[in-house]
Amino acid sequence: MRKFLKISKIVLIFVLISGWVFSGWPRIWENPEIPQKIKEVQAVNNPSATIVKVGEFTVATTTGATKSINVGFQPKAVIFYWTSQSATGFIQPEGMFGVGFSSGSSATSSRAITYCSENQNAGNNSDTAVRMSTSTIIIFKRDGISSGNCGILVSQADLVSMDTSGFTLSWSVTNTTLYIVRYMAIGGDDITNTKAGTATLTADTGNQSISNVGFQPDFLFFISANASSSEYNTNVSKGRFNIGFSTAATSTQQAGIAITGDDNETVSDTATQYSTSSALLFYYAAGAPPAINGAANLQSMDSGGFTINKTDATTANAEVFYLAVKGAEFYVNNLSQPSSAGDQQITAPGFQPLGLFMMTNSTTTPNAENTNATLSIGAVGESTSSMGQIGFADITAANIPDPDAMTTTTEAITTLLGVKEAIPTITSFATVKSFDSGGFTLNWGLADSVPRKIIYFAIGEGSSYEQSGYRWFNNTNSTQ
């Protein structure tokens, strides 16, 4: 018995000494100070907290075919934008573009809207339409017949999976043309929730709660065609399109652009407007020029969704598609095009972006009616050499309507001036020279004296760390 107790004591002493030596408190071989002082942990930022990739692909040309796009990580959300082009540059005599997004592979996780305007149709009248869908990508091509239809559906795809290294699309409508689709993929551990959904805004003013999100968003991306729920998956005559976004700082960080083009007019009737205080602007393409038919701003981000403040009522209930994101760091603002070419440093975000999404209607004054419908959309990913941009211009008061579209990988954003029966004039263009510690630097390859507004959102890493806190020993690297 005594022998057993003696052995037990020796084992216990050995365990205690070994535990003390290897616990890191204190590391006696490093001559620790006695007594130990509190050491603050060096929190190590998670390198995969937020990831943004901008790229392009061409559509499948066989119905039923799938296509996997490799982005190098598993996205949590993807924003798509496109024209009806298979090559870069401008296209005439049609102006068609679309925007869509997806938050997953379910049948309810995608939304898309495409805008159509064609000229030189059978009657030479204006021919405009929009189409809403719960598919991911929908592409029109001009049909060249009389007004009221504007285009035929030539490519339609659904996102069927978010993969380890990208995403997969499946095509239900195709033709033989390799149309170019651009995308911004967002992922990383810091993105904790995403949802693509629909909010039906009632035709009145005041606050309306949207509670079908399921979490409190940090960022919202909107698209709308001021159309009703009965008008899904069909061509709706009269062109109208709205795109906007907002962060939780709703009083200062939301913006939107709306464009419109009336249908079956002997002289084209188009307009545009932007706002730096409302994410949602609605046209209904009536009047000469058309007038805004509804406006709303984001009032608050709520525990299960968000609240919209409708400051101007629409004529009828309007479907609004949204992409809600929880996590990462988002910032919404605007900048003015400089008066000459060269670098322009933007320090407003206050963090180093990993991605940038920009848009403009090539005008200068917010909340002001502007004839000529123009819209440019561009994005840049973490690698600033990866960029993609589309543009649209539809001039008003043209006896022969003259819509045009463009797509490019050499500029992040352009401003356009429509020209009757000719290719639009590019009045300015820029690339992103660098993402800086407090913002970003644009390099303008062309600029004139008009201070056109560029609306943007920047995305960066949120406060995602592997570990943080305090320790009572010399090892202050929080990963050890």
Side-chain angles (χ1 to χ4, degrees):
M1 183 67 178
R2 289 182 179 179
K3 185 175 181 180
F4 173 76
L5 291 175
K6 185 176 181 180
I7 294 173
S8 298
K9 289 178 182 179
I10 293 172
V11 171
L12 179 60
I13 292 170
F14 176 80
V15 169
L16 290 173
I17 293 174
S18 298
W20 170 60
V21 169
F22 292 103
S23 68
W25 190 89
R27 292 182 176 180
I28 57 177
W29 56 87
E30 294 181 351
N31 298 317
E33 56 186 356
I34 304 293
Q36 284 282 288
K37 295 180 180 179
I38 296 175
K39 302 287 185 178
E40 185 174 355
V41 170
Q42 290 180 330
V44 177
N45 207 12
N46 185 350
S48 63
T50 305
I51 314 170
V52 182
K53 171 73 180 293
V54 168
E56 66 173 75
F57 58 89
T58 55
V59 304
T61 55
T62 304
T63 301
T66 60
K67 197 164 193 176
S68 295
I69 310 302
N70 189 344
V71 302
F73 60 92
Q74 184 168 27
K76 303 289 182 68
V78 186
I79 298 170
F80 301 91
Y81 51 110
W82 60 86
T83 64
S84 58
Q85 295 172 254
S86 57
T88 57
F90 280 98
I91 185 172
Q92 282 186 304
E94 60 186 61
M96 302 186 191
F97 70 90
V99 177
F101 46 71
S102 183
S103 62
S105 58
S106 74
T108 60
S109 296
S110 293
R111 301 289 188 276
I113 295 175
T114 193
Y115 184 103
C116 169
S117 180
E118 66 171 327
N119 65 351
Q120 299 177 13
N121 57 36
N124 271 342
N125 287 356
S126 62
D127 191 4
T128 62
V130 290
R131 188 181 182 101
M132 306 185 303
S133 178
T134 54
S135 291
T136 309
I137 297 166
I138 44 177
I139 299 176
F140 272 3
K141 192 71 177 172
R142 72 185 299 264
D143 56 16
I145 60 176
S146 60
S147 60
N149 210 10
C150 193
I152 54 176
L153 184 64
V154 293
S155 186
Q156 179 167 312
D158 294 286
L159 191 144
V160 294
S161 65
M162 294 287 197
D163 310 322
T164 303
S165 297
F167 54 90
T168 298
L169 296 155
S170 176
W171 267 262
S172 56
V173 178
T174 60
N175 69 6
T176 58
T177 304
L178 294 169
Y179 301 108
I180 299 169
V181 177
R182 307 198 178 282
Y183 68 85
M184 171 183 266
I186 303 169
D189 297 336
D190 199 40
I191 307 294
T192 58
N193 258 317
T194 60
K195 181 178 179 178
T198 302
T200 302
L201 297 194
T202 53
D204 52 16
T205 58
N207 287 353
Q208 180 178 341
S209 176
I210 309 301
S211 57
N212 62 353
V213 179
F215 57 90
Q216 183 167 329
D218 293 316
F219 175 75
L220 287 165
F221 186 104
F222 297 105
I223 52 175
S224 177
N226 195 8
S228 70
S229 58
S230 64
E231 295 174 307
Y232 281 60
N233 301 310
T234 186
N235 292 17
V236 182
S237 64
K238 300 184 184 295
R240 60 259 189 178
F241 179 78
N242 165 242
I243 179 172
F245 28 79
S246 179
T247 69
T250 57
S251 62
T252 57
Q253 292 190 34
Q254 60 181 302
I257 294 176
I259 67 168
T260 188
D262 211 349
D263 185 55
N264 198 22
E265 297 288 341
T266 56
V267 176
S268 61
D269 188 7
T270 66
T272 183
Q273 189 170 146
Y274 81 89
S275 174
T276 55
S277 57
S278 294
L280 292 168
L281 298 171
F282 302 98
Y283 274 111
Y284 193 70
I292 287 292
N293 176 244
N297 56 64
L298 188 69
Q299 187 74 10
S300 64
M301 301 288 196
D302 310 324
S303 58
F306 54 94
T307 296
I308 291 289
N309 176 29
K310 296 169 291 183
T311 56
D312 183 13
T314 53
T315 301
N317 292 355
E319 298 288 278
V320 173
F321 294 159
Y322 67 80
L323 175 65
V325 181
K326 179 70 174 177
E329 181 105 26
F330 286 90
Y331 181 82
V332 172
N333 207 336
N334 63 89
L335 60 93
S336 295
Q337 169 207 310
S339 58
S340 60
D343 289 352
Q344 180 185 29
Q345 189 173 29
I346 307 298
T347 59
F351 59 83
Q352 182 164 336
L354 298 170
L356 187 66
F357 185 100
M358 295 183 285
M359 63 184 188
T360 180
N361 67 351
S362 300
T363 64
T364 60
T365 306
N367 306 309
E369 192 75 46
N370 292 272
T371 57
N372 304 326
T374 56
L375 178 66
S376 296
I377 296 172
V380 180
E382 189 169 354
S383 171
T384 55
S385 61
S386 298
M387 67 190 83
Q389 190 243 299
I390 63 172
F392 168 83
D394 198 359
I395 194 166
T396 199
N399 292 326
I400 298 178
D402 187 23
D404 305 285
M406 68 170 296
T407 186
T408 178
T409 54
T410 55
E411 288 90 34
I413 196 67
T414 64
T415 61
L416 300 174
L417 178 65
V419 180
K420 289 183 180 181
E421 300 180 46
I423 293 292
T425 299
I426 297 176
T427 54
S428 69
F429 66 83
T431 59
V432 175
K433 182 177 181 179
S434 61
F435 287 135
D436 311 322
S437 59
F440 55 95
T441 300
L442 298 177
N443 178 257
W444 293 88
L446 174 68
D448 59 14
S449 59
V450 181
R452 301 174 185 88
K453 287 293 184 183
I454 314 294
I455 294 168
Y456 68 87
F457 75 77
I459 177 172
E461 285 190 345
S463 300
S464 179
Y465 300 98
E466 293 182 356
Q467 187 175 356
S468 62
Y470 292 87
R471 292 186 177 176
W472 287 85
F473 47 84
N474 277 345
N475 173 21
T476 58
N477 186 333
S478 66
T479 63
Q480 297 182 13

